[in-house]
Amino acid sequence: FRFCIVYFSFFNIQEKNHPTVTQIRIFKDGDVMLGGILSFHTFCLLLENSLNLMDFQFAQAMLFAIAEINNSSDILPGLSLGYKMYDACGSIARAVSGALALANGNEATFVSSETPCTKSAQVQAILGETSSSPCMAIATVIGPFHLPLISHFATCACLSDKAKYPSFFRTIPSDLYQSRALAQLVRHFGWTWVGAIRTNDDYGNNGMVTFTETANQLGICLEYSVSFFRTDPEEKILNIVNVIKHSSAKVIVAFMSYMDIDVIIHKLSYHNVSGYQWVGSEGWILNAPTAALDENHILDGAIGVSIPEAHVRGIEEFMMDVKPLNSSGNQLFTKFWEALFSCEFNSKNNHKRCTGTEDLSDVKNSFTDMSLMPIFNNVYKGVYAVAHALHKILKCNKTCDTNTLQHLRNIRFQTKEGEEVYFNENGDPAAKYEIINWQPTAQGTVEFVTVGLYDASLPVDRQLTLQNTSLFWVPASICSKPCLPGTRKVLQKGKPVCCYDCTPCAEGEISNTTDSITCIQCPIDFWSNAQRVACVKKETEFLSYEEIMGALLTAASLFGTCMTCVVAWIFLKYRKTPIVRANNSELSFLLLFSLSLCFLCSLTFIGRPTEWSCMLRHIAFGITFVLCISCVLGKTIVVLMAFRAKRPGSNIMKWFGPLQQRLSVIAFTLIQVLICVLWLTISPPFPFKNMKLFTYKIIMECAMGSAIGFWAVLGYIGLLAVLCFVLAFLARKLPDNFNEAKFITFSMLIFCAVWITFIPAYVSSPGKFSVAVEIFAILASSFGLLLCIFVPKCYVILFKPEKNTKKNVMVKSRATLKTNK
């Protein structure tokens, strides 16, 4: 413990330079002694004009608790508590010197290298200091002595490290929870773009680190984060003022002590910088002198966390009785009395003279302000914690551990107000805060209004509760406006994550929350609506009977069927007339039947595709058309063979009689049937949802299954049509009244033209239009056959009956034959 020599040497040098400092303490003897370290002055070298009345209040709270314990028969009976309090004077070095003096019981004696400095401590615990940095230094020094240090106001989270500070305890929650509470408070109001100012010490720096980490997790960005200490040069403070003036953030998080916030507020007032929402730590948010100093109301509307409101019976009356403090005659209390009552004992220049009998009931200043009652309660609980630990030792037997530190770790008791007091494994109490809002009054003052609570023991989503209706604050602070549903955030290059642009979601994607960072892809059967906020069922498209195009094609199909039936009726009625009999009536009726089927098969292409309809439409189309072309081909061959026989009396026609004609039609049709059976067996057509053609709708269509099967069916029809066309073309100069070659030639020309143009039109038509193209091709080719082959005959039958005679047919035929010869 050689390090104590350095501290005592420094302390004694200071004592020699400032001899009055050695007597700046409060002392009362007792059976058991408690130590106290407070800053009764704010600056060591300005003892005359730097009294800190707040720490006098803390001293009074400590004296009240000690007096109450000494007058109690329930705790430490038969023992009296005494105390020694040192003035740290705002100096870490003096705080450490006082702590070593208390720990060694060697307060103002120079200790040489030969003198051991491990003398048993005369105090059982030390209460103080008010700030974190002095507490860290004190706890480091007295830790090896196992001497407890209990702070009422040191909140730095770093002090929870038991490896570094094994003997440190506190009755105020750690800044770890305060920083998280501040971050949640900022996020609650949607302030995502904030500035930050902190005291450049352990309290401010460590607290701001935790706040920044939590803020980042909650999506809060810091536009700037600056630090300063109240003793910094004016240039540095002015630089911070300029940073605030030129920033766009309207919210400032101030993790500072009340002494530092006073300095920055003074500068901001001087430069007329106002209109900001301040979020404060407990170091200043409930400090009445700070509110009184804020004459320009820069802090109006400030919101922050503070220790929960508390009430200790009797402490206010005890504090107002300051005569016991003055009974020692110490020069410290002379100055304290003069500052308290604004008088002088040795009055000069007609200044008010102190009598020593002044009454505080007529005085209003920071000492009479009881707004720090929660902190007084912390001091009160700290004293009682030590007393309960000592009480356990008093009741111990000879084998019991008499170490105050060990018993202090395990204490659990209730105060007279019913508050439970205990320390966790880090020496910290339970973390609870009140949310305080600075609300201006009509009289121009500021009222501290409790508007919410924060309880770290609850689940994260229920830790913070606020009464928004009673709040007073300035407008929100954001870097970018929130991205509405239907858009997503795109970060701006080189800027924090809170600065972004809002980009609409792409087609097929949605975002249904504000400030979404991604757009959600809709399921495959859904599509985004126009606002990109919801996925709606994709429109299903197919050629239906209800739409105009489907209705027109249906009407055309039925019209063709009816027209075919009318022709068949005419042919049936006039079946014995020469023109009907001369044109192979059997094949004509079979052709009319197949044409009616061709017209009707187009109806299978209309409506929602199903497994059966997909197979039926292509198979019916393929077979009926082959049947139709087979009939035309049969008629063409009969005509050609009849007029192309090389010599009279040739028996070639016996191979093309009615039986052979029927067999040829059946044979041609069976080949198509075989192709269709193979197609259905290997890979039949099936209903298919085409989602690639259009992204916003589903095309219901029939997939071909086997493309080879489909093109084989079409190819076979095309082969027969070409063969029929060629044969009809060869027979085009045969007698007009007897043969149909010219009509068949023209009908096949139309048929081939329709289906040749069908292929590119079918391939290039989207969705239901490809089905419409196929139906149109079926109807066009069917109408071509019907009109070209049968309408001329019907015209003669109905309107030129004089030409429908055997003589006229035979005469015309012979004339044509002679001309050909």
Side-chain angles (χ1 to χ4, degrees):
F1 302 106
R2 292 284 180 180
F3 58 82
C4 66
I5 297 174
V6 177
Y7 282 111
F8 275 127
S9 299
F10 176 79
F11 179 75
N12 278 279
I13 291 171
Q14 295 295 322
E15 295 287 341
K16 291 177 182 177
N17 293 334
H18 304 280
T20 57
V21 175
T22 59
Q23 303 300 321
I24 300 178
R25 60 192 181 191
I26 306 172
F27 173 86
K28 182 179 180 181
D29 201 6
D31 299 322
V32 181
M33 299 296 292
L34 298 182
I37 299 179
L38 297 168
S39 291
F40 297 116
H41 293 83
T42 55
F43 295 101
C44 294
L45 302 180
L46 297 174
L47 298 181
E48 297 296 326
N49 300 302
S50 63
L51 281 178
N52 179 14
L53 297 182
M54 186 178 72
D55 276 33
F56 276 98
Q57 289 178 310
F58 298 153
Q60 277 285 74
M62 181 176 171
L63 296 183
F64 171 76
I66 292 175
E68 196 174 74
I69 293 169
N70 287 339
N71 293 327
S72 173
S73 59
D74 297 328
I75 184 170
L76 296 179
L79 291 178
S80 63
L81 285 178
Y83 48 85
K84 298 178 183 180
M85 296 188 199
Y86 275 86
D87 183 8
C89 200
S91 166
I92 295 178
R94 288 188 176 275
V96 172
S97 298
L100 283 172
L102 291 170
N104 285 276
N106 207 358
E107 291 119 88
T109 305
F110 179 79
V111 181
S112 65
S113 59
E114 291 80 15
T115 305
C117 62
T118 57
K119 178 181 176 181
S120 298
Q122 290 187 356
V123 296
Q124 296 299 313
I126 299 177
L127 286 93
E129 231 263 23
T130 302
S131 302
S132 296
S133 292
C135 283
M136 292 171 66
I138 295 170
T140 302
V141 170
I142 68 173
F145 296 103
H146 303 290
L147 182 62
L149 173 66
I150 306 175
S151 176
H152 53 278
F153 215 22
T155 57
C156 180
C158 54
L159 287 164
S160 297
D161 186 350
K162 292 298 103 177
K164 291 182 178 180
Y165 314 107
S167 65
F168 179 79
F169 297 85
R170 53 183 157 198
T171 52
I172 190 170
S174 164
D175 281 339
L176 176 69
Y177 304 102
Q178 180 185 185
S179 301
R180 291 175 179 174
L182 288 175
Q184 289 192 34
L185 185 65
V186 170
R187 188 67 186 90
H188 176 82
F189 295 113
W191 298 325
T192 57
W193 187 239
V194 302
I197 306 177
R198 66 188 186 276
T199 300
N200 191 15
D201 61 6
D202 296 296
Y203 168 72
N205 292 330
N206 285 280
M208 190 55 68
V209 166
T210 304
F211 172 82
T212 304
E213 291 174 352
T214 308
N216 289 336
Q217 295 171 4
L218 297 176
I220 302 167
C221 300
L222 270 63
E223 183 180 11
Y224 59 86
S225 181
V226 294
S227 66
F228 83 102
F229 198 72
R230 53 188 173 274
T231 57
D232 283 344
E234 186 174 1
E235 292 77 13
K236 184 173 182 179
I237 300 174
L238 289 177
N239 182 59
I240 293 175
V241 172
N242 288 327
V243 168
I244 296 174
K245 286 175 64 176
H246 295 95
S247 66
S248 59
K250 292 297 181 181
V251 174
I252 302 174
V253 179
F255 215 102
M256 310 169 75
S257 68
Y258 67 94
M259 292 178 282
D260 295 297
I261 194 72
D262 291 348
V263 174
I264 198 70
I265 290 304
H266 174 72
K267 291 297 180 183
L268 290 174
S269 298
Y270 181 79
H271 291 275
N272 196 26
V273 180
S274 60
Y276 292 90
Q277 171 66 50
W278 290 80
V279 179
S281 62
E282 44 74 31
W284 64 270
I285 197 66
L286 209 61
N287 191 47
T290 299
L293 181 67
D294 184 23
E295 296 179 354
N296 292 340
H297 300 278
I298 291 175
L299 296 178
D300 280 5
I303 191 168
V305 297
S306 73
I307 308 306
E309 184 177 354
H311 176 71
V312 182
R313 283 172 291 171
I315 196 171
E316 185 173 354
E317 293 77 7
F318 185 89
M319 282 192 167
M320 298 302 248
D321 183 14
V322 295
K323 291 181 180 179
L325 284 174
N326 197 33
S327 60
S328 63
N330 191 307
Q331 185 179 357
L332 166 69
F333 299 112
T334 300
K335 297 298 180 184
F336 166 65
W337 193 273
E338 291 177 344
L340 198 60
F341 296 102
S342 300
C343 61
E344 293 180 0
F345 282 102
N346 299 318
S347 178
K348 297 177 182 179
N349 300 325
N350 297 322
H351 195 274
K352 181 182 177 181
R353 180 179 293 276
C354 295
T355 64
T357 59
E358 286 82 3
D359 186 2
L360 265 180
S361 59
D362 299 327
V363 177
K364 286 189 177 180
N365 54 28
S366 60
F367 186 83
T368 61
D369 178 36
M370 294 292 115
S371 61
L372 288 179
M373 185 63 73
I375 312 302
F376 306 157
N377 184 44
N378 286 346
V379 177
Y380 178 83
K381 290 186 293 185
V383 175
Y384 262 88
V386 176
H388 276 275
L390 294 174
H391 188 77
K392 283 189 176 183
I393 297 175
L394 185 64
K395 297 193 322 184
C396 279
N397 54 34
K398 293 182 179 180
T399 60
C400 180
D401 189 352
T402 58
N403 190 323
T404 307
L405 180 63
Q406 187 61 36
H407 287 280
L408 195 59
R409 288 171 179 156
N410 301 318
I411 60 105
R412 182 180 287 266
F413 65 93
Q414 283 190 341
T415 65
K416 63 183 180 181
E417 309 297 340
E419 181 180 358
E420 189 173 23
V421 179
Y422 63 92
F423 300 107
N424 63 16
E425 65 277 6
N426 296 321
D428 298 329
K432 292 183 180 180
Y433 297 96
E434 286 183 345
I435 310 302
I436 302 298
N437 186 215
W438 288 31
Q439 298 188 1
T441 63
Q443 293 75 28
T445 59
V446 170
E447 182 180 2
F448 300 139
V449 180
T450 301
V451 294
L453 295 170
Y454 177 86
D455 189 347
S457 64
L458 297 175
V460 176
D461 59 335
R462 293 195 290 118
Q463 288 177 348
L464 183 66
T465 56
L466 283 172
Q467 306 162 3
N468 293 352
T469 54
S470 61
L471 289 173
F472 177 87
W473 70 76
V474 298
S477 178
I478 54 176
C479 182
S480 300
K481 291 183 178 180
C483 288
L484 299 176
T487 63
R488 64 182 178 90
K489 296 196 294 187
V490 178
L491 297 182
Q492 296 177 358
K493 188 175 181 180
K495 292 188 177 181
V497 295
C498 298
C499 301
Y500 48 80
D501 297 316
C502 298
T503 302
C505 291
E507 289 186 347
E509 297 181 344
I510 65 162
S511 65
N512 50 15
T513 58
T514 303
D515 281 339
S516 176
I517 59 175
T518 58
C519 293
I520 304 169
Q521 183 71 41
C522 289
I524 193 168
D525 288 349
F526 290 79
W527 193 247
S528 55
N529 60 1
Q531 295 77 27
R532 306 287 196 272
V533 296
C535 290
V536 295
K537 192 77 174 178
K538 282 184 179 179
E539 176 188 353
T540 303
E541 182 180 273
F542 57 89
L543 187 61
S544 66
Y545 294 102
E546 288 78 13
E547 58 183 298
I548 296 176
M549 185 166 57
L552 291 175
L553 291 173
T554 301
S557 175
L558 295 176
F559 176 74
T561 304
C562 294
M563 189 174 176
T564 304
C565 293
V566 170
V567 172
W569 179 80
I570 293 172
F571 265 59
L572 182 62
K573 183 176 180 180
Y574 297 96
R575 63 185 178 279
K576 295 182 180 181
T577 60
I579 199 168
V580 176
R581 296 181 65 182
N583 284 279
N584 200 332
S585 60
E586 186 175 345
L587 285 181
S588 295
F589 283 111
L590 186 58
L591 178 58
L592 288 170
F593 172 72
S594 63
L595 280 174
S596 63
L597 293 180
C598 288
F599 282 116
L600 291 175
C601 81
S602 63
L603 297 178
T604 62
F605 288 82
I606 304 175
R608 179 183 290 273
T610 63
E611 187 175 350
W612 286 103
S613 69
C614 285
M615 290 190 291
L616 178 63
R617 66 173 57 172
H618 291 99
I619 301 308
F621 157 70
I623 294 175
T624 56
F625 261 82
V626 165
L627 179 61
C628 180
I629 300 300
S630 298
C631 293
V632 176
L633 184 59
K635 291 169 68 70
T636 306
I637 293 174
V638 169
V639 173
L640 189 61
M641 290 300 106
F643 286 90
R644 290 293 181 178
K646 292 185 178 180
R647 57 183 185 275
S650 174
N651 61 353
I652 192 172
M653 286 305 296
K654 70 178 183 179
W655 299 105
F656 293 94
L659 178 62
Q660 287 78 12
Q661 294 171 24
R662 288 191 291 269
L663 290 176
S664 65
V665 171
I666 293 172
F668 286 134
T669 306
L670 284 177
I671 294 173
Q672 183 73 307
V673 171
L674 179 61
I675 294 173
C676 291
V677 169
L678 290 174
W679 184 13
L680 295 179
T681 304
I682 297 172
S683 181
F686 59 91
F688 172 67
K689 293 181 179 180
N690 189 341
M691 301 181 184
K692 295 182 179 178
L693 192 59
F694 298 101
T695 54
Y696 56 90
K697 60 182 177 181
I698 301 173
I699 306 299
M700 296 296 296
E701 60 185 28
C702 288
M704 298 305 170
S706 172
I708 296 175
F710 174 72
W711 291 111
V713 168
L714 282 185
Y716 183 66
I717 295 173
L719 178 64
L720 293 181
V722 170
L723 180 60
C724 186
F725 173 75
V726 171
L727 294 177
F729 181 79
L730 294 175
R732 71 188 184 283
K733 294 184 178 180
L734 296 178
D736 291 345
N737 284 16
F738 182 82
N739 82 84
E740 304 168 287
K742 288 185 179 180
F743 301 132
I744 293 174
T745 302
F746 193 62
S747 66
M748 286 297 102
L749 186 62
I750 295 175
F751 186 92
C752 293
V754 167
W755 286 101
I756 289 172
T757 55
F758 158 77
I759 294 174
Y762 178 81
V763 172
S764 60
S765 298
K768 62 183 179 181
F769 296 102
S770 63
V771 179
V773 167
E774 192 168 359
I775 296 174
F776 179 80
I778 293 172
L779 294 176
S781 55
S782 300
F783 274 112
L785 290 172
L786 180 65
L787 296 176
C788 292
I789 296 175
F790 293 100
V791 168
K793 298 178 180 61
C794 291
Y795 175 78
V796 172
I797 293 171
L798 296 176
F799 300 105
K800 299 291 183 178
E802 68 277 6
K803 294 183 178 182
N804 189 12
T805 62
K806 184 176 181 181
K807 179 180 179 181
N808 185 63
V809 172
M810 294 303 293
V811 170
K812 189 67 176 176
S813 298
R814 290 193 186 99
T816 305
L817 285 171
K818 288 178 181 179
T819 303
N820 291 337
K821 289 180 181 180

